Amino acid sequence: MEVMEGVPPVINLTEVARTEKEEFEKKVSELIIEFGAENLLACMQCGACASICPLARVGFEWYNKKLIKAILIGMKEELLDDSTPWACVACNRCTEICPRQVSPFEVMFAMRRLMVEELAISTLAIEGDRSLYEHGHAVYMTGREARKKVGLPEKPPTTDSDEKALQELRTILKNTKLAELGLIPME
Amino acid sequence: MISETVSETLKEKLKFGLFLGCNIPFNRPDVEQAMRKIFPALNVEIDDLVGQSCCPSWGTMPSVDVVGWCAVAARNLCLGEEKGIDLMAACNSCYGSLNEARHKMLNNPEIMNKVNEILAKIGKKYEGKAKCRHVAWVLYRDVGLEKIKESIKYSLDGLTIAVQPGCHFLWPSEVYPDKEEDPFNPKVLRELCKALGADAPYYTKLIDCCGMGALRSTNPEKSFTLVKEKLECIKEEIDADLIVTTCSSCLIQLDDAQERLRKEGKISFSIPVLHYVQLLALCMGFDPQQVAGICVTPRDEIIKRILESGKR
Amino acid sequence: MIEGQEEGKMEEWEPNIIVIACNWCTYQAADLAGSLRYSYPPTVKIVRVPCSGRVEPEFIIEALINGADGVLIGGCHPGDCHYKNGNYKALKRFELLKSVIEEFGIEPERVRLEWISGSEGLKFAEVMKEFNDTIRKLGPNPLKWKEINSV
Amino acid sequence: MSDKDIRIGVYICHCGENIAGAVNINEVAEFAKNLPDVAVVRDYLFMCSDPGQEIIKEDIRKGLVNRVVVAACTPRTHEPIFRRACEDAGLNKYYFEMANIRDQCSWAHWHEKEKATEKAKQLIAAAVAKARLLEPLEDRYVELNKNVMVVGGGIAGIFAALDLANAGFKVYMVEKNPSIGGNMAKLDKTFPTNDCSACILTPLMVEVANHPNVELITYAEVESVDGSVGNFKVKVRKKQTYVDWEKCTGCGACINACPPKARVPDEFNEGLSLRGAIYIQFPQAVPKKAVIDPDACIRCSGRWFGEEPRRTKDGKPILAPCEKACPTGACSRDEPRDPNGELIELNVGSIIVATGYKVMDKKQFKEFSDSPNVITALQMERLITATGPTEGKLIVPSDIPKYLEWKKKVEKGKEAELEARKPKVITFVSCVGSRDNRYHTYCSRVCCMYMLKQAMLLKEKYPELDIYMFFIDVRTPGKDFDEYYMRCRNLGIKIFKGKVGGVQKLPDERLLVKGYDADLGKPVELISDIVVLATAIEPNTDLKDLARKLGINVGAEGFLRERHTKLYPVDTMTEGIFIAGCAQGPKDIPDSVAQAKAAASSAASLLAPGKMKVEPLISEVNPEKCTGCGICVELCPYGAIEMVEYNGKRKSKINETLCKGCGVCAAACPSKAITLHGFTYEQVVAQIRTIAKKGVIEEV
Amino acid sequence: MNKFILAWAKDREIRKRGQCGGFVTAILKFMLEENIVDYALLVKKGSNLEYSIFLTSNPEDVVDCAGSVLWATPNIAKFIAEYLDTNEYKIAAVCRPCDARAIVELAKMNQINIKNVFMIGLNCSGTFLPATLERMFETLNIRVEDVEKVGIKKDRFVVFLKDGKVETFPLEDLEKSGLGRRENCRRCEVKIPRMCDLACGKWGVIEGKKTFVEICSDRGEIIVKKAVESGVVEFEYASDENVKIRDELENFALKMSEKWQDYYFGQMSSMSYEERRNYWFGMFERCIKCYACRDVCAVCYCNDCILNPWRLLVKGGEIPPSFSFHITRAVHIAQSCVNCGQCQDVCPVEIPLSRIAHKLNKTVQEIWGYIPGIRLDEKQPLSRAENDI
């Protein structure tokens, strides 16, 4: 996924508003709120979140503060094309310090959820989900040798070694949005 | 048992469900082994929580759907709740994801209901009792520093440790069962290290993110610039002998990235990295191969030093 | 006298400047300049009067005769006088005094009238610097020199 | 040496480090010890502190000193404190003199410590030189008239008047418009509670008008003010209304009769609509009386006041339409009327000035285009209020004429379709003329809040509206205000940090707004139906004139200047005159009210005792020296000097209740027969000589 | 009545003794006789170059004082202010322009009640100090005893000898050699005293012994009318020709003054500040602080002058006094100085005091447009309260 460095040189708010109204069913801000960032509108763009955001620090374009602003304006297309939310380390330091309890982290993740719903993500981003479904582990390596080396049984006592539990997990996943979206093949 | 207060936990024998997550069992099983060694020795019973799964990690269900995230987490929590015990994780991400999910469920009945609707399909119900504890907090609060001091065979006198509590050890503090008095100047890990005889001073970037996780998978270059800043700070400010973390992600990032940065000529030092449970296991005299055998940045020298000069 | 010597002497010499300031504007401006830490030459010393209209020509004459190198009268801006129009009256007296001393051969630049309001701390400092420079260029008060020479 | 037994105590304050940090206290103290008549020199960390004052008092009590010189900060703030200390210890408090070695020495010359020390010595020497010539003075008392004039009938004036009237003072309320109410009457709702402005204001207007202790003098302006605290003599000119207010019932019949040709922009609707030459300021006016604007009147009957009416062929007089319409004969043009109105003389003890503000006209801001759809916020207020030109119906201002036409038809019972355009997008622009060196450097303080209010009212009423707001930054200080801002954000109003630099008209009367978004760091553009400019609050045009008449000061920004920003915020430099509301500076309604009540209580506490202590620092004539030339009489700004018979000769005499102590007379007297106590010729000259001689005190 | 008349005394005796038909004498006598005034104040010629101020209530005495005396420089204004209570008595005073101006200035300062002072002004083109006159006669080889009277006719100094001979000399030449009129007279800018009630002189009279009278006030007109009605005075209206000639002569005199002003003031202005200091301080070093300049000053009026030693400004016993003596005095008189020249006349050490006072007054005139002693209703600049800058 390409990181989109930049915003159009001039933001045409009328066009943004028109697109938002005419081309989408819902406003971006409404969607983001629905996807979990309930306090989105309270943001006053103070920038505290950006001051400690690792993404802002290493130079991502749409870090928390700017992402929120773009959402508030109603920009959608530009945001769907960008990968910044997927770089969020979920460190949640922003949540800790946000004076308006907006939880910028939640906005980032709501944006991810929106992108997922719009299928505006690369297949790599859904690898974790596939792995979760298949093995019960997002990070799954065979790694058996290492376990043996340190004196542990080859398989940990997780879904990895417990078929019934894996089926339970799959049942759960099948009842979530993940299944609705059809992002990954589920039997 | 599921405890609300420390005094309650002291009444009975300590027992926790050992929540492994993904990185530890598959990537750093020596951390798992370390836990399996130290806790019984500290008179803490551990339950395997057979059938546990991914917490779920940030890139998976939390990025898709809040209810789905909570449902997966709830199933894991149920494994403890059913046995009347709390979970215990050595991975900050697991600690964060599970507790944040729990926090959402507890504060939003709608989510809780939806989750239980899903759980019902596998015959489970989460009541919100069981939570996930962090190994560091269990050691600090439940086991206690005194007991740790008593149990060690090797002391770390003269060693300087750079601690890395990791983000999900600290914030959002609201969601966690245990809270640092000042999350911006965390003490727990430093205290734990000091209990082993080491010096664990403050350094400027102590609370800064290591750059692991999504950032590293999305843009490794940017991820490494972040970790490089942190490593340099550790080197310059306190010239640490080793880095100790309580997070498996931080462990991997600091350990892996260091080697890579060194190969690229971006740094010229090498500081071994250990999870705190590994360090404790070493001090307690367990087999280094088993409890600290997997690393990228070499640990041999530091282990040798601990075992040779630290004998009490 | 050799030129160089005179110059050397001049460098040591510091002007002695008396500011007669009205209580409501220029005195306040001087206070403000101080509290904002605007510095100006320490050669400037202020005598407080209620109004620039209180200033008698004799005050200026006394200052000059007794050795002051420069005298500045500070009042409120026209229209702002606390006592309605004392500053206008001050201005007339000042103009007369100035022409008198000029006629007697004292540089009129040695006396100056400025309107500095209570909020013009910066202006106060700037005017003082400027006036100090003017006086420095003019050199010591010739009256003083004359008196000393005649002793 | 002087004959008198003078023992001067010199007290040098360190002011913590403020003085001691630049001035070598020991050196200065040593110097002071050698000054003539100096008996005691002491220094202390904070001379003004309790223990510091105690040092002085102790020395006085022990008889060590009988003149006090304190070298510390500025006498403007601290002279009263030390004077009181002297008095407490039994010394006449005018045996006190101060040397300002902080504000005018250590602070100003912080980096030239030696020179600062040298200057401090000279300043102290000058103070000692003056102290040697100090004279004991006795405070005096003046009788106070207990009436108060409140200038301005806006919310501040109303509250000031009510508080005073309730306390039993007679209040004259002078208002330049036909009705009281001020700018607040124009507002729709008020922040932060969004309660209806009229609902909270009109009862107060009625209350003040009906109060037995209040006399309303509306449509009147202050012409001149003489005298001083306790005894102001005010002349108020009541403008000619051309309507007999005794007869006018405010029925409004005349208003509709006034022909369309005589219509001019309605001030109350901020020019959004027209009013006739005869008009009632607004429907809720108090007093509700009509006035004729002589400039607008087209004399449609060919007749003016006092002129014979023209007659029809059968000899019937042709009356003006308003005259004809009036059921009570209040508009009759039979009698001549003096265009200068009437001069009313008032005697009051205190004056409260609450003349309010005006908002800047948008005309000066060329960058925002001349489109009628670019309006000021006060116009927006009229546009959204139910009492406004459109009865609160939101249409683009350029279509108001259409609306008014439509309304006329509907009123006449005709069917008609209103074709006015309803706005879909409204843009607010903050800091228009405020925080702008070209216009006003200050922040107008209420704009952020009222913009948020208008946006909120609009958005709540018309949720489909797109509202964009551009702020340099949002200033919502204090209780409840940021919460208000939060509410606004939560309504989905789009807020931008960044200023609009241009508005350009589109061919269809819509507007292209060019702004900047500091958050995204990009210029932004949008098309808006209405642009609302939060134009700066500025002083009324005639405020300077009024201030001059009152003898109070106006700041560089044009608002009335308070005596002290922090400690005397409603006092002026002229005793007995207080200020409140926006005449003092931009502020919101609660602040205006608070200030009004503060001004009222200041006036009340000043007048209540019936007499007042006045500093004796005034002028006095020595009749022996006076030659009776009378120069002083004309020069005295307060008319305090008159010529009286003394030993068969004409001599001047100063009325001590009128004298303010400016000293103009003393300076003008050629034989120096007039002494200004506290700043006598001898005292000032002693200071000047001492400084001229660089700190050497000359024996006289 | 027309403003300009030519008038003469009806009484033959007076007509003979009076300079120009005895109009002034007749009027004064008439006013005393009719009790219009209590006193007449005039100048009486003594023997040779002597003269005295003469105050009388006896109408007959007036006739003795007929004729103008050009070496008389009486300080009329000062005399009135100092010695006469104008609130008590009505006075008719014969004044030269500078006297009249000083009276007007003092009236503004409430020192003279001008309502009770009837001013009969004499046109003046200058006066002589007796000492200078003596030296002039010496130079011109004229015996003082032979001189009947002196006069100035345009640019000529005229000596009327007792034997009836008249000799004239060029005035300018005399003055350039340090003789001639008093210095202040040379610079004088008011030749016809129009601030008086009547301005009288011979200018404009073409033939016969008549006085050209400009009636400058209502009461002046009343007096003349009464005198005519009573048959004391006869008159004819001045023709255009009379007026033209008078104007020409006045202008000629003013031009001459202008030249002298240019000369003196030009000299002063051309000096650098240092030269001025050296000049004036050199002068002031001579000062013996006799206070004569102050005492004689026509526009000074304080009871207790601040230059008195007990008034702090000037130290007692210090000679020469501090310069503040002179500067202060200059400041005090600058706006009212009428250039009467008294200060300079009396200075024992010959400091050209009137020169600087006059120059300063010119500055006042430039800044505020105020000319002292011209209009009674015009206050001095420093006594005005209006806010003009």
Side-chain angles (χ1 to χ4, degrees), chain D residues 283-301:
Chain D
Q284 299 75 29
V286 173
K288 195 174 179 187
K289 304 283 178 191
V291 294
I292 293 176
D293 173 355
D295 296 333
C297 180
I298 54 169
R299 284 117 160 110
C300 42
S301 62

Side-chain angles (χ1 to χ4, degrees), chain B residues 79-96:
Chain B
L79 297 176
E81 194 169 272
E82 283 158 8
K83 292 175 179 164
I85 55 172
D86 280 337
L87 281 58
M88 174 172 76
C91 167
N92 279 7
S93 283
C94 300
Y95 182 62

Side-chain angles (χ1 to χ4, degrees), chain A residues 77-101:
Chain A
E77 284 173 333
E78 292 86 344
L79 299 181
L80 290 178
D81 286 345
D82 183 71
S83 71
T84 309
W86 295 96
C88 172
V89 292
C91 75
N92 257 318
R93 190 165 168 181
C94 50
T95 307
E96 184 79 9
I97 51 101
C98 174
R100 299 276 194 177
Q101 294 179 295

Side-chain angles (χ1 to χ4, degrees), chain C residues 58 62 85 95 102-103 105, chain E residues 273 276-277 313 332 359:
Chain C
E58 285 86 341
E62 283 284 349
N85 50 17
E95 284 189 355
E102 182 172 5
E103 211 52 67
Chain E
Y273 290 136
R276 290 182 200 193
R277 281 197 302 268
L313 195 80
H332 276 233
K359 173 114 195 290

Side-chain angles (χ1 to χ4, degrees), chain D residues 36-210:
Chain D
D37 292 338
V38 169
V40 170
V41 178
R42 300 193 199 281
D43 60 277
Y44 187 65
L45 197 56
F46 289 104
M47 218 65 229
C48 61
S49 68
D50 234 27
Q53 292 188 42
E54 200 46 46
I55 294 172
I56 302 172
K57 290 182 192 172
E58 193 62 23
D59 285 349
I60 296 172
R61 286 194 206 103
K62 281 186 184 155
L64 292 176
V65 305
N66 56 16
R67 304 279 192 285
V68 173
V69 169
V70 171
C73 51
T74 172
R76 288 178 46 256
T77 57
H78 278 58
E79 195 175 60
I81 296 168
F82 290 115
R83 281 211 170 128
R84 205 173 311 127
C86 293
E87 197 173 32
D88 288 350
L91 185 69
N92 185 290
K93 64 180 174 183
Y94 297 100
Y95 276 142
F96 171 80
E97 180 59 25
M98 216 165 162
N100 186 340
I101 61 167
R102 187 188 73 180
D103 307 47
Q104 294 178 6
C105 186
S106 66
W107 277 353
H109 319 305
W110 193 254
H111 301 292
E112 297 172 274
K113 306 219 184 308
E114 272 175 37
K115 288 177 181 171
T117 303
E118 192 48 44
K119 175 169 168 181
K121 287 182 196 169
Q122 295 186 28
L123 293 176
I124 291 171
V128 167
K130 183 175 177 185
R132 299 170 81 208
L133 300 166
L134 288 173
E135 38 178 13
L137 301 170
E138 293 307 323
D139 286 336
R140 63 207 169 92
Y141 292 85
V142 294
E143 294 288 321
L144 304 172
N145 174 314
K146 287 198 173 187
N147 301 339
V148 181
M149 172 173 73
V150 173
V151 189
I155 187 64
I158 288 173
F159 264 100
L162 278 178
D163 274 17
L164 284 163
N166 288 336
F169 294 91
K170 166 91 187 170
V171 178
Y172 299 98
M173 174 176 272
V174 177
E175 164 61 49
K176 76 172 168 192
N177 288 313
S179 168
I180 58 170
N183 279 312
M184 186 176 165
K186 297 179 184 174
L187 306 183
D188 180 32
K189 304 276 189 329
T190 55
F191 60 78
T193 45
N194 284 4
D195 36 9
C196 153
S197 184
C199 311
I200 55 177
L201 177 66
T202 44
L204 291 165
M205 289 161 62
V206 174
E207 191 184 339
V208 79
N210 292 339

Side-chain angles (χ1 to χ4, degrees), chain B residues 292-311:
Chain B
I294 301 171
C295 62
V296 180
T297 303
R299 290 171 178 163
D300 298 345
E301 259 182 61
I302 192 74
I303 292 173
K304 201 172 147 196
R305 191 170 150 194
I306 293 168
L307 298 184
E308 279 178 6
S309 62
K311 183 122 184 151

